[in-house]
Amino acid sequence: MPTAAASAREILVRLHDVMASRTPAQAKLNSVVGIVGEAMASEVCSIYLLREGVLELFATRGLAQEAVHVTKMALGEGLVGTIAEQVETLNLDEAASHPDFAYRPETGEDRFHSFAGVPIIRRERAVGVLCVQHVESRRYDDVEIEALQTVAMVLSELIANAELVDASGAATMRPQSTAPMRIAGLRLVDGMASGYAVFHQPRVHVEHTVAEDAEAERHRVYAAFDKMRDQIERLASQAEFGGGGEHEEVLETYKMFAYDEGWSRRINEAIDSGLTAEAAIERVQQRTRMRMRQIDDPLLADRMHDLEDLSNRLLRIVSGQMGTAAQMGLRQDTILIARNLGPAELLEYDRRRLKGVILEEGSLTAHVTIVARAMGVPVLGRVRDVRRLVGEGDLLLLDVTAGNVFARPSSAMEEAFDTALQLRQKRRAVFAALKTEAPITKDGHRLTVMVNAGLRDDVAALDMTGADGIGLFRTEFQFLVSATLPSRERQQRLYRDVLDAAGDRPVVFRTVDIGGDKALPYLNKADADEENPAMGWRALRLALERGGLMKVQARALLEAAAGRTLNVMFPMVSEPWEFDEARALFEAQRDWLSTRNKKLPTDIRYGAMLEVPALAEQLDLLLPNVAFLSVGTNDLTQFLFAADRANPKLAERYDWLSAAILRFLARLVEPTRAAGVQLTVCGEMGGRPLEAMALIGLGIERLSITPAAVGPIKAMVRTLDRAALSAHMATLLKAPPRDMRGALTDWARQHGVELA
């Protein structure tokens, strides 16, 4: 069987003459379907192009010629429409069995069974479809699919030069409206900023696809790789965040991609098929992009964004088109707009003028988010169509805390934003002044307010907020930003640094909560295809199955805490025996270290996360064995209500202040207090002043929240009469009002409780 490169090269050699000829565009397309069909021994080869918003059959070999320019399909209609809408490849041994199959009798295609189609892509959008069909039922070989994809790239150049398709896919367009507009997004890095819209524009549009001299193209790519790697090394060495931090591990992972031999080999294979250096890089990038669309795992997709960033960088170098906004320089306060960014691309910008970032994609665990947080740059993600809705140079008011951005604001909007920004700065100053004040209620009750953390740099929040300690250190963050499983030494170093920075304040380490929707690409993904990953093979379930992973983490924690108290907590405990097994594993590692005369913690306090409602029914069996219990309200809520918190239709539907949640939490207070077990609420619920007030009214005395929430919670606590609130909460829970949130808000207002 020929290689993909050889198959594509055979076709491209013949296409080269077609493209160079002076014949009309329609005649060229007629020749192309003949060449492709003959080379692939295919009874049918057809080209559909996007015109006036619909896909029109422009040329065919094998279907009825009367159907040319007659058969049309909307985006998403039929197999061809699905390929164009999803920008994906289809390879079917029986076309009619596909749910999107649509029969068009005028084409005479009823005798053909197998079908393969690839999108013709121009500037990141599908402008057409190239497809083949056979009478026999069979799936096409990977070699044939790759040949089709390479031909589709060359076709993109041909149809663009002939102006055969809609031109609405231009990368830079003015927005349809110049009116003020509010656009919503996902909070990635909190903050407020104003500035003028600047498009990152990392994409280079490849104009010439077929190479004259393969060796010359190969040398161009080699030189570009050398230059790119030099740039990455320089950027990594110049990054200024202070000592340590997960962002350094992010950059090391990024450098690893830059030196990936598999990536360079795939580009070389594309050059072998007859493509120019630019087209070869773009060809491999398109394949990566299609894979990303098929990946449900957000963490693996984030790592592939890094590869996309590097592809863009390599493409700019090899083409000589170095004109990103970073290279051209920022001239004023800027809000940067991009589909996505890699960490190195973000680092190239002038931090004095880069005020914020807006991404069409992005996630909380993406590398660029971690680096932006270290830089102190607010980031709003998942802003759909932002590159269409916002024009270059538009004034933008970015409020990530509120989850939105105002484009082209009116003077009234600007005035309101400036007022909010000033108020935010004043409030931050007030909250900062509370860092030396204890969270004591008006009736003299001392509460414990701790912070959640996951990065080494997060520990600085203890001093900035005056928090009592770290109530939840998410150890999985180190695993999520690493390209390979972190070694015991690396884990131990991180845990020791955190303990050193915390000093005499307690740190509760939660063992890794990975798996399910936080899958790691370097672990066996046999269990990755779960229909409901949040309730699947994750957290303690996965860790107990993979004893080696947990043993390494146990040793790292035990050695890091030598001479001090170690607080360790197990996530997603569903039954007491799971906690017992996890504790036994830690104790076995402590015994093993003891036999080797290793210095050990002076005390180990074991705890469990209560996120699965079933555990609450077995507290009498669990409480004698734990020192503390932490309630994870985020997962608990979705499990109680059977509502996926990642589903936008359900995200705001179920209120933390519903009677169901409050009654459930109230049931935990007396048993834990009687057993002498510390009860803490971790999660977003405890970081909201009104919700935190309700928790205190239930008798919960310990909260672990985001650092930014410590000031507002302290301010609320210091204006609260706990005894009066407790009595009121008991009344509300006996006969819950329809609007619990409203009832609590009214009580807080009447009693002068600060909820701002």
Side-chain angles (χ1 to χ4, degrees):
M1 181 181 295
T3 64
S7 297
R9 185 168 58 246
E10 177 189 343
I11 299 173
L12 291 190
V13 167
R14 298 178 63 187
L15 287 184
H16 183 273
D17 294 336
V18 171
M19 293 178 65
S21 70
R22 295 181 178 273
T23 55
Q26 181 66 58
K28 289 181 178 180
L29 292 178
N30 293 340
S31 297
V32 168
V33 293
I35 290 170
V36 174
E38 183 181 332
M40 296 184 65
S42 173
E43 286 102 343
V44 175
C45 178
S46 304
I47 295 173
Y48 292 79
L49 299 183
L50 189 66
R51 296 268 287 181
E52 298 179 356
V54 298
L55 290 152
E56 179 180 321
L57 178 61
F58 254 72
T60 186
R61 157 193 157 127
L63 297 183
Q65 289 300 315
E66 305 85 67
V68 174
H69 300 301
V70 173
T71 296
K72 297 179 181 180
M73 279 173 277
L75 287 173
E77 181 185 5
L79 301 180
V80 169
T82 298
I83 291 169
E85 184 180 56
Q86 302 296 327
V87 196
E88 65 178 11
T89 295
L90 284 182
N91 183 3
L92 308 170
D93 54 6
E94 190 60 61
S97 66
H98 193 281
D100 293 322
F101 176 77
Y103 174 60
R104 291 304 176 88
E106 73 272 12
T107 64
E109 64 179 342
D110 43 317
R111 64 192 182 92
F112 302 107
H113 293 272
S114 59
F115 174 94
V118 300
I120 301 170
I121 301 170
R122 183 73 175 172
R123 300 189 175 184
E124 299 184 46
R125 66 190 282 268
V127 295
V129 173
L130 171 66
C131 55
V132 292
Q133 295 170 263
H134 274 78
V135 171
E136 61 181 297
S137 296
R138 72 174 183 92
R139 283 181 66 83
Y140 291 81
D141 296 331
D142 289 345
V143 166
E144 295 173 297
I145 297 297
E146 292 200 19
L148 278 178
Q149 290 170 333
T150 301
V151 171
M153 171 173 273
V154 177
L155 273 177
S156 171
E157 179 184 342
L158 186 157
I159 62 179
N161 291 339
E163 299 182 349
L164 290 172
V165 297
D166 296 339
S168 59
T172 305
M173 296 188 298
R174 290 300 306 165
Q176 294 177 352
S177 170
T178 57
M181 179 179 291
R182 174 187 174 276
I183 311 169
L186 175 70
R187 294 165 49 186
L188 296 182
V189 180
D190 272 348
M192 294 178 70
S194 64
Y196 293 91
V198 171
F199 287 88
H200 174 59
Q201 296 178 329
R203 301 288 299 118
V204 172
H205 301 298
V206 177
E207 302 299 335
H208 301 292
T209 55
V210 181
E212 299 284 349
D213 183 343
E215 282 307 308
E217 301 301 317
R218 203 181 321 281
H219 285 304
R220 291 176 64 213
V221 166
Y222 288 155
F225 262 105
D226 289 341
K227 187 170 183 179
M228 179 194 69
R229 288 163 179 165
D230 287 344
Q231 288 181 359
I232 301 303
E233 294 286 355
R234 187 168 63 254
L235 282 169
S237 65
Q238 291 174 353
E240 299 171 1
F241 301 114
E246 304 305 330
H247 46 269
E248 292 185 357
E249 295 173 5
V250 166
L251 293 176
E252 286 302 315
T253 303
Y254 190 79
K255 284 166 60 178
M256 183 197 72
F257 278 119
Y259 286 89
D260 178 32
E261 293 299 326
W263 180 37
S264 58
R265 184 182 66 253
R266 289 189 293 274
I267 293 173
N268 262 316
E269 289 171 353
I271 290 174
D272 287 341
S273 72
L275 295 177
T276 60
E278 291 89 344
I281 297 167
E282 172 75 3
R283 173 72 192 87
V284 173
Q285 191 174 16
Q286 284 182 3
R287 194 180 312 162
T288 302
R289 218 174 277 133
M290 287 182 192
R291 286 179 59 201
M292 286 170 62
R293 291 189 181 95
Q294 298 166 0
I295 290 173
D296 293 327
D297 178 357
L299 297 169
L300 185 54
D302 288 340
R303 277 137 189 81
M304 295 185 79
H305 282 315
D306 288 350
L307 190 55
E308 170 110 343
D309 173 24
L310 286 165
S311 294
N312 291 339
R313 181 180 295 274
L314 188 65
L315 196 52
R316 290 197 299 272
I317 293 171
V318 81
S319 67
Q321 300 178 42
M322 298 298 291
T324 65
Q327 272 88 40
M328 291 185 288
L330 303 179
R331 297 178 177 83
Q332 56 192 336
D333 286 354
T334 294
I335 305 295
L336 188 68
I337 295 175
R339 184 171 65 83
N340 217 315
L341 280 173
E345 287 189 310
L346 182 63
L347 287 170
E348 288 182 317
Y349 282 92
D350 182 349
R351 293 177 216 169
R352 295 168 300 177
R353 291 182 170 169
L354 180 64
K355 301 301 180 181
V357 175
I358 300 173
L359 301 175
E360 278 191 327
E361 298 178 3
S363 74
L364 286 166
T365 55
H367 284 173
V368 69
T369 303
I370 294 169
V371 172
R373 187 182 296 116
M375 293 171 66
V377 176
V379 182
L380 186 68
R382 306 281 176 89
V383 184
R384 296 182 61 184
D385 294 330
V386 64
R387 293 183 295 172
R388 179 176 61 82
L389 298 172
V390 172
E392 186 96 19
D394 282 349
L395 177 62
L396 301 177
L397 306 179
L398 178 63
D399 186 351
V400 179
T401 305
N404 58 47
V405 59
F406 290 94
R408 303 173 296 276
S410 64
S411 56
M413 288 178 179
E414 286 189 66
E415 186 176 337
F417 182 86
D418 289 341
T419 301
L421 183 58
Q422 292 173 16
L423 181 61
R424 175 188 172 94
Q425 291 168 343
K426 288 179 181 177
R427 295 295 297 163
R428 288 178 65 181
V430 170
F431 294 148
L434 289 175
K435 72 177 182 179
T436 57
E437 303 292 337
I440 301 175
T441 63
K442 285 171 62 178
D443 53 339
H445 198 84
R446 173 66 156 91
L447 300 175
T448 300
V449 178
M450 308 175 83
V451 294
N452 299 331
L455 302 172
R456 185 187 284 107
D457 297 346
D458 291 346
V459 185
L462 289 176
D463 291 328
M464 289 190 294
T465 63
D468 294 312
I470 297 175
L472 169 62
F473 190 89
R474 301 180 176 97
T475 61
E476 64 268 13
F477 277 20
Q478 186 181 32
F479 291 72
L480 298 179
V481 300
S482 299
T484 58
L485 191 68
S487 66
R488 179 178 57 81
E489 290 77 13
R490 274 182 60 199
Q491 293 184 52
Q492 181 180 332
R493 186 164 59 249
L494 170 64
Y495 306 149
R496 186 188 298 118
D497 288 349
V498 170
L499 288 166
D500 287 345
D504 58 358
R505 291 163 293 195
V507 178
V508 177
F509 291 99
R510 183 178 72 183
T511 58
V512 287
D513 182 357
I514 56 175
D517 58 351
K518 290 187 280 188
L520 303 180
Y522 48 79
L523 289 184
N524 186 339
K525 294 178 67 64
D527 302 311
D529 298 327
E530 297 185 275
E531 291 187 7
N532 194 339
M535 300 175 72
W537 205 245
R538 55 170 277 211
L540 191 59
R541 299 168 181 176
L542 183 147
L544 288 176
E545 179 195 48
R546 298 175 182 274
L549 183 151
M550 197 168 185
K551 286 176 183 176
V552 169
Q553 184 172 39
R555 282 185 56 192
L557 284 166
L558 290 163
E559 293 189 76
R564 329 182 227 214
T565 296
L566 172 63
N567 296 285
V568 62
M569 176 166 64
F570 305 120
M572 205 175 176
V573 177
S574 304
E575 300 221 45
W577 67 261
E578 293 176 326
F579 171 85
D580 294 339
E581 280 199 15
R583 176 174 176 161
L585 185 148
F586 263 75
E587 287 297 309
Q589 291 305 301
R590 176 160 72 166
D591 293 343
W592 187 86
L593 291 171
S594 178
T595 61
R596 283 154 180 77
N597 297 318
K598 296 283 188 178
K599 191 176 180 182
L600 296 169
T602 54
D603 184 30
I604 304 178
R605 301 176 72 248
Y606 293 101
M609 288 285 287
L610 195 158
E611 302 158 281
V612 181
L615 189 63
E617 301 300 328
Q618 303 179 78
L619 286 182
D620 58 321
L621 303 177
L622 177 72
L623 292 179
N625 299 318
V626 297
F628 57 92
L629 191 67
S630 293
V631 182
T633 52
N634 295 359
D635 269 332
L636 176 65
T637 303
Q638 70 172 342
F639 296 155
L640 271 178
F641 286 115
D644 182 359
R645 68 186 184 196
N647 185 330
K649 291 183 178 180
L650 298 174
E652 301 297 329
R653 181 164 182 168
Y654 299 102
D655 194 346
W656 272 319
L657 293 180
S658 70
I661 294 288
L662 296 176
R663 283 182 165 186
F664 183 95
L665 295 173
R667 288 170 48 206
L668 307 177
V669 175
E670 279 309 315
T672 51
R673 183 177 293 153
V677 171
Q678 290 178 343
L679 177 64
T680 304
V681 168
C682 301
E684 198 174 338
M685 180 179 182
R688 298 184 176 189
L690 186 63
E691 282 85 341
M693 185 190 83
L695 293 172
I696 294 166
L698 297 178
I700 292 169
E701 302 177 346
R702 299 171 63 86
L703 302 174
S704 187
I705 56 183
T706 62
V710 172
I713 295 303
K714 277 190 176 183
M716 180 273 293
V717 167
R718 292 173 63 82
T719 59
L720 182 67
D721 185 318
R722 179 174 174 269
L725 174 62
S726 296
H728 185 61
M729 284 296 299
T731 301
L732 289 177
L733 291 187
K734 283 181 182 177
R738 183 177 183 130
D739 181 10
M740 181 73 78
R741 179 173 293 275
L744 286 168
T745 302
D746 288 344
W747 187 91
R749 188 182 301 114
Q750 293 165 12
H751 291 77
V753 180
E754 184 173 336
L755 297 178

